Amino acid sequence: MDTRRSLRILATTLGTAGLLISGCSGGSSTNASTSTPPASSAPAVPAGLKPYYAQQLEWRDCGVEGFQCTTMKAPLDYKKPDGGEIKLAVARKKATGPGKRIGSLLVNPGGPGGSAIEYLQSYAAIGYPAQVRARYDMVAIDPRGVARSEPVVCLTGPQMDTYTQVDQTPDDAAEVTELGGAYTKFANGCEQRSGEILPHVSTVETARDMDMLRALLGDERLHYVGASYGTFLGATYAGLFPARVGRLVLDGAMDPSLDAVELNRDQTAGFETAFQAFAADCVKKADCPLGTTSTADAATRLKRLFADLDARPIATGESRRLTESLGTTGVIAAMYDESAWPQLREALAGAQKGDGSGLLALSDSYYERRPNGTYANLMFANAAVNCLDQPPAFADAKAVTRAVPSFEKASPVFGKAFAWAALNCAHWPVPPTGTPHRIEAKGAAPIVVVGTTRDPATPYKWAQSLAGQLSSGTLLTYRGDGHTAYGRGSDCIDSAINTYLLEGTPPAEDKKCS
């Protein structure tokens, strides 16, 4: 998995991979039951949805060798299936053989807002293990509001440039007002450009879309690999349709029982853990731009760089200058994958010499900013889904101010920025439809939950929690760095997941890999 792809696809928003040979150790030798609920236990399709479940998919050439594409219709509002429809983009690469075809394997890279089709075509359908691709049709659907599926649009490229440069660590009342105004302008832009779809991009609705696609593909049960936010989507599906669960891999798991404040604060701590790992590696090197004495000194020097950028943004070789917010985002982007650490060291060294181009490139990768100045819709869809799935973390600036100390305790380096970033949903024009809740999915076939011990974006304890909530959940642990574990170099992780996908047998309970 190359760094550019992992940064672009797997990044989640503020406030919401090189290959290594690795060993592993097993936990308990007792596997979860591999029994599958009988098909007759699956709930019937509601009458109003039968026309959608009966539609015929017309596959065509995608223009990408080996792939077929189609468009699936779904109700805009599942509560009013006759009230209009939405068109969703789907792509697949058929099983290559040898071996008996198992079915379709849906994939989702996370975000929310990452394009599943781009992930399929650039990685999953060509980079997943050959034995998996041999026996599954590799399939992706861009979730509603994302990429090719009637994407949410909020700001123009120049407007987004301005938005990403707004100070997210306000020092006075004027800067607080400016940040609040930026969030309001962003939200208003979404409403003006995408108001019809905005109330209907929730994770629950996307999970229902996936069930419809499962049926149209001719599969009795859903086989699925979801990363990051994709784990929340997969777990939501399991909660809604436990009897239709096939082989589900939830890699880099989220915890659906946490409220928005807890999620954001935990993620803040996760990035601190990742930074500490980066710093510990960096200070061992003679050319470390953050010093060579201790991780504490490295943190102090990074905070000093952020403070300098706050006071005096630096040149980047183009019209945009590197502000504190862009510099912070650049550092955060590199925390997703340890193979990006050399690039980050070089970028930090450049910034210390007045050249902000390296950190700006990392920040642009995170935001999916294209060379021509336009942006993919990742960040627009991300906000739209997150703000619909849960009540806002904070109602106003006063609430953020009260919470900042707890965020700074979680991360002295990133805490303040993450706390203020979590204010964005307070300005959202559509009321939330979801709430924090446990997902048990009673009656589902075995589900594999994967957690990485030093994952920045989805802290390990989230995987522990989700595996404990799911009645058939099994936790698979990767002791290491980076965001998600499958396909990132651990033979132990890959072997356990491949066996599960191919044979239906989950790994030993609490199996650990390194």
Side-chain angles (χ1 to χ4, degrees):
M1 181 185 301
D2 69 272
T3 301
R4 184 171 178 269
R5 188 199 65 78
S6 63
L7 291 180
R8 184 178 70 249
I9 298 296
L10 295 179
T12 56
T13 58
L14 242 164
T16 47
L19 303 180
L20 301 172
I21 301 300
S22 304
C24 65
S25 61
S28 166
S29 61
T30 303
N31 287 336
S33 169
T34 59
S35 63
T36 304
S40 60
S41 65
V45 175
L49 298 179
K50 286 183 178 180
Y52 289 102
Y53 274 80
Q55 67 185 291
Q56 298 294 315
L57 297 180
E58 298 181 2
W59 295 96
R60 62 187 184 280
D61 181 76
C62 285
V64 179
E65 185 177 357
F67 289 88
Q68 296 176 310
C69 289
T70 191
T71 300
M72 183 185 87
K73 296 178 181 179
L76 177 65
D77 185 348
Y78 273 93
K79 295 179 180 178
K80 301 176 181 178
D82 295 329
E85 63 186 28
I86 185 172
K87 295 180 179 180
L88 306 175
V90 181
R92 75 178 177 187
K93 190 172 190 291
K94 300 195 76 171
T96 58
K100 182 179 179 181
R101 178 184 174 276
I102 296 172
S104 304
L105 182 64
L106 270 67
V107 295
N108 184 282
S115 170
I117 292 178
E118 182 179 353
Y119 176 72
L120 179 80
Q121 294 179 341
S122 66
Y123 177 66
I126 57 177
Y128 271 30
Q131 62 268 40
V132 173
R133 292 182 283 117
R135 299 187 61 196
Y136 283 100
D137 292 345
M138 301 294 295
V139 179
I141 177 172
D142 274 351
R144 49 178 61 209
V146 174
R148 297 164 176 84
S149 293
E150 304 198 15
V152 172
V153 179
C154 300
L155 300 176
T156 65
Q159 288 173 331
M160 191 65 179
D161 280 346
T162 299
Y163 178 77
T164 60
Q165 295 176 64
V166 173
D167 191 349
Q168 286 193 322
T169 57
D171 300 313
D172 54 39
E175 290 186 346
V176 169
T177 299
E178 181 184 14
L179 181 59
Y183 288 144
T184 299
K185 184 173 182 178
F186 184 98
N188 289 344
C190 297
E191 184 177 33
Q192 292 165 6
R193 294 175 173 87
S194 303
E196 182 179 9
I197 192 176
L198 217 56
H200 302 294
V201 294
S202 71
T203 298
V204 166
E205 289 161 307
T206 294
R208 293 188 180 280
D209 296 337
M210 288 204 309
D211 188 63
M212 187 184 302
L213 178 59
R214 170 204 58 77
L216 297 178
L217 292 170
D219 293 334
E220 286 190 0
R221 294 178 179 83
L222 180 80
H223 306 305
Y224 174 82
V225 177
S228 193
Y229 160 80
T231 67
F232 179 48
L233 177 57
T236 298
Y237 179 91
L240 291 170
F241 307 105
R244 296 174 185 167
V245 167
R247 300 168 191 179
L248 262 62
V249 178
L250 308 180
D251 184 11
M254 291 185 63
D255 183 352
S257 70
L258 300 179
D259 65 29
V261 174
E262 293 171 310
L263 285 169
N264 281 279
R265 191 160 46 215
D266 281 356
Q267 193 175 71
T268 302
F271 277 96
E272 180 67 22
T273 297
F275 172 73
Q276 290 295 321
F278 163 75
D281 177 75
C282 185
V283 298
K284 296 175 184 176
K285 305 179 187 303
D287 63 346
C288 177
L290 299 178
T292 57
T293 57
S294 67
T295 57
D297 183 47
T300 298
R301 293 186 183 216
L302 182 59
K303 290 176 67 176
R304 186 182 306 145
L305 173 62
F306 289 160
D308 290 344
L309 292 174
D310 189 25
R312 293 176 297 279
I314 59 176
T316 63
E318 58 169 273
S319 59
R320 291 178 299 157
R321 298 179 72 81
L322 185 74
T323 61
E324 179 191 14
S325 57
L326 290 173
T328 301
T329 302
V331 173
I332 286 167
M335 294 296 100
Y336 282 87
D337 194 322
E338 67 271 25
S339 69
W341 290 358
Q343 183 181 358
L344 177 58
R345 290 196 302 271
E346 183 178 348
L348 289 171
Q352 290 172 340
K353 297 174 183 177
D355 177 8
S357 60
L359 284 177
L360 183 63
L362 283 167
S363 178
D364 284 351
S365 175
Y366 181 91
Y367 283 120
E368 292 198 358
R369 185 184 191 271
R370 305 182 183 99
N372 65 2
T374 63
Y375 288 75
N377 94 307
L378 171 66
M379 292 299 164
F380 307 145
N382 189 287
V385 175
N386 283 335
C387 295
L388 202 57
D389 277 350
Q390 281 209 352
F394 302 115
D396 52 36
K398 291 181 179 179
V400 180
T401 301
R402 291 193 296 269
V404 163
S406 68
F407 276 71
E408 290 185 320
K409 182 178 180 180
S411 174
V413 177
F414 305 116
K416 186 176 181 180
F418 273 57
W420 283 101
L423 182 61
N424 65 328
C425 288
H427 301 264
W428 205 245
V430 180
T433 56
T435 57
H437 59 285
R438 290 174 56 85
I439 297 178
E440 298 181 2
K442 292 181 179 179
I447 299 172
V448 175
V449 179
V450 189
T452 297
T453 54
R454 293 187 293 277
D455 190 317
T458 52
Y460 178 62
K461 68 178 184 178
W462 289 0
Q464 292 175 301
S465 178
L466 180 59
Q469 292 173 45
L470 292 168
S471 62
S472 60
T474 296
L475 178 64
L476 175 62
T477 299
Y478 175 58
R479 293 186 289 211
D481 298 294
H483 185 37
T484 72
Y486 186 44
R488 299 186 70 250
S490 169
D491 287 347
C492 172
I493 290 288
D494 292 356
S495 177
I497 293 175
N498 293 343
T499 297
Y500 169 68
L501 290 175
L502 296 172
E503 301 175 11
T505 305
E509 184 65 34
D510 202 26
K511 182 181 180 70
K512 294 179 171 61
C513 299
S514 58

